[in-house]
Amino acid sequence: SSLEGTTTISASNTAETNTTTEAAAATPTTEAMTTTLFPRDSMIVHRLDMDTSGIVIFARNRMAMSKLHKSFRERTGTKKVYEALLLGWLDIDKWIDSAEEDDNDDDGQAVEIGNNKHSMLSNDITTESNNNNNNNTSTPNNLGAGEINLPLQRDHRHPPFMRVSTPESESEALRAVLDLNHAGYKKLMAKNPKPSTTRFRILSHERWGRGRRKHDVTRVELTPVTGRTHQLRVHCAAIGHPIVGDSAYGFCGEAHPNGGFRDEMMREMAATCASFELRRDAEESVREEGRTMCLHARRLTVDHPVTGEDVVFEAAPSF
């Protein structure tokens, strides 16, 4: 049911919307939406990117809006869980093996992204062997989980998009800011990089597509610890597994490829990086099927603005 003073709806950017009972029960009637005292757009509490489907909350009075805004801003009593399809099969075992080989062959070289070549994935990773006997889907009990820790900054080469921050990109951004004349744009681009963390859990390895055209994808659960602009999309692209249908950070997208990393660095760092051919072919399937980005706000937990109780809303993705 909906919160007192709030309205929750399950939003989707596809024609194949598929919501759970909980989300359907929270969907407001047209009458309920029109009885609010304020314009709906001004009362939104939880926003999604244009191409992201899932749950959105609207406040129906100022008190609810103020309390929920504070909860989201301070990240207290709120939790967002997303589901996504990533290109390629993300294999934690291969990442760990590659990291161990690097440790054995360490040449003492410092790499731009942080402490070592594999600092994008934390050491706190649990995994089990993948004994997959199914050609279409692999769903063992535990395919692995981990944490991506990569600072993000505005991309001065591809505004207004984001990218992973490196010493090189920070220096370039500072030089670019000096040449800007527009005060507002200069202020935006001059913002310092921010620490950004995403936790992920692998749900399954699948084959996505219709007919004979099937592509290797990984279904993951994504939990943003921080809330940076486009954080999930950039982080996934930066580990070599962009989100299926991402028109900005995916194949030939508007933003910097690989979340800002050079191709040669990706080949060195990302043990299971999606190949060029896979990205190209999957993008063709996305266009043919009219599929939008496979990123969905699946679960949203908030504190009730009156009682303070945890309230959980869920909506299953259409992909």
Side-chain angles (χ1 to χ4, degrees):
S1 61
S2 60
L3 304 178
E4 179 181 343
T6 67
T7 297
T8 307
I9 68 172
S10 175
S12 177
N13 53 11
T14 72
E16 303 172 352
T17 304
N18 177 23
T19 61
T20 61
T21 303
E22 292 91 336
T27 303
T29 62
T30 303
E31 180 181 0
M33 294 303 296
T34 55
T35 57
T36 183
L37 299 177
F38 306 99
R40 182 169 56 180
D41 288 347
S42 69
M43 304 299 285
I44 193 166
V45 174
H46 163 60
R47 294 184 181 275
L48 297 176
D49 289 345
M50 183 180 297
D51 292 334
T52 303
S53 61
I55 300 169
V56 181
I57 289 183
F58 294 87
R60 296 177 64 186
N61 59 58
R62 292 291 184 185
M63 180 277 293
M65 182 180 69
S66 177
K67 288 189 174 182
L68 289 170
H69 272 173
K70 183 178 180 181
S71 293
F72 278 99
R73 183 174 61 253
E74 299 178 356
R75 307 188 74 79
T76 57
T78 62
K79 184 178 180 181
K80 307 172 190 176
V81 177
Y82 293 77
E83 190 168 320
L85 289 183
L86 309 185
L87 282 172
W89 281 8
L90 175 57
D91 189 329
I92 296 300
D93 287 335
K94 291 183 179 180
W95 277 87
I96 294 176
D97 291 343
S98 179
E100 290 174 348
E101 289 175 7
D102 258 357
D103 288 340
N104 293 333
D105 269 336
D106 189 7
D107 57 5
Q109 186 178 23
V111 181
E112 293 175 337
I113 63 170
N115 297 328
N116 56 62
K117 295 177 183 178
H118 298 275
S119 62
M120 61 172 67
L121 288 181
S122 75
N123 293 325
D124 185 17
I125 298 174
T126 58
T127 183
E128 287 184 359
S129 297
N130 175 12
N131 298 317
N132 178 23
N133 297 317
N134 187 321
N135 291 329
N136 293 319
T137 305
S138 165
T139 55
N141 291 331
N142 187 2
L143 281 171
E147 193 170 272
I148 306 170
N149 293 289
L150 291 169
L152 300 182
Q153 68 177 94
R154 290 285 175 182
D155 192 340
H156 60 284
R157 291 188 179 182
H158 305 276
F161 299 106
M162 305 293 288
R163 59 158 292 154
V164 173
S165 174
T166 66
E168 181 183 6
S169 69
E170 288 185 52
S171 297
E172 288 184 3
L174 289 175
R175 289 195 296 270
V177 167
L178 296 175
D179 296 331
L180 293 174
N181 295 319
H182 190 283
Y185 189 68
K186 191 170 185 176
K187 182 179 180 181
L188 177 68
M189 298 304 296
K191 289 185 177 180
N192 292 327
K194 295 183 178 180
S196 306
T197 300
T198 299
R199 295 193 181 113
F200 69 90
R201 183 167 66 92
I202 300 175
L203 302 177
S204 62
H205 290 146
E206 304 177 10
R207 298 273 291 164
W208 173 83
R210 294 179 181 175
R212 294 183 178 180
R213 299 189 66 175
K214 299 286 187 179
H215 313 288
D216 291 347
V217 297
T218 301
R219 186 176 296 271
V220 295
E221 178 182 276
L222 301 171
T223 303
V225 179
T226 53
R228 314 305 179 202
T229 301
H230 296 176
Q231 175 179 310
L232 301 181
R233 299 165 67 181
V234 179
H235 274 176
C236 290
I239 63 170
H241 296 276
I243 297 172
V244 172
D246 192 336
S247 60
Y249 300 96
F251 182 77
C252 290
E254 300 174 86
H256 199 296
N258 306 321
F261 292 127
R262 298 186 300 272
D263 288 341
E264 56 270 24
M265 184 176 289
M266 290 301 298
R267 287 192 291 270
E268 185 179 4
M269 293 188 309
T272 56
C273 183
S275 68
F276 172 87
E277 291 77 16
L278 172 59
R279 299 181 192 215
R280 177 197 61 203
D281 295 345
E283 180 61 25
E284 290 181 5
S285 294
V286 166
R287 290 198 301 268
E288 290 174 0
E289 297 182 17
R291 160 54 64 186
T292 49
M293 183 171 61
C294 294
L295 177 63
H296 181 84
R298 179 173 188 132
R299 188 182 311 118
L300 182 59
T301 303
V302 296
D303 282 348
H304 194 291
V306 177
T307 68
E309 298 177 4
D310 281 352
V311 183
V312 181
F313 296 100
E314 288 197 67
S318 62
F319 49 83

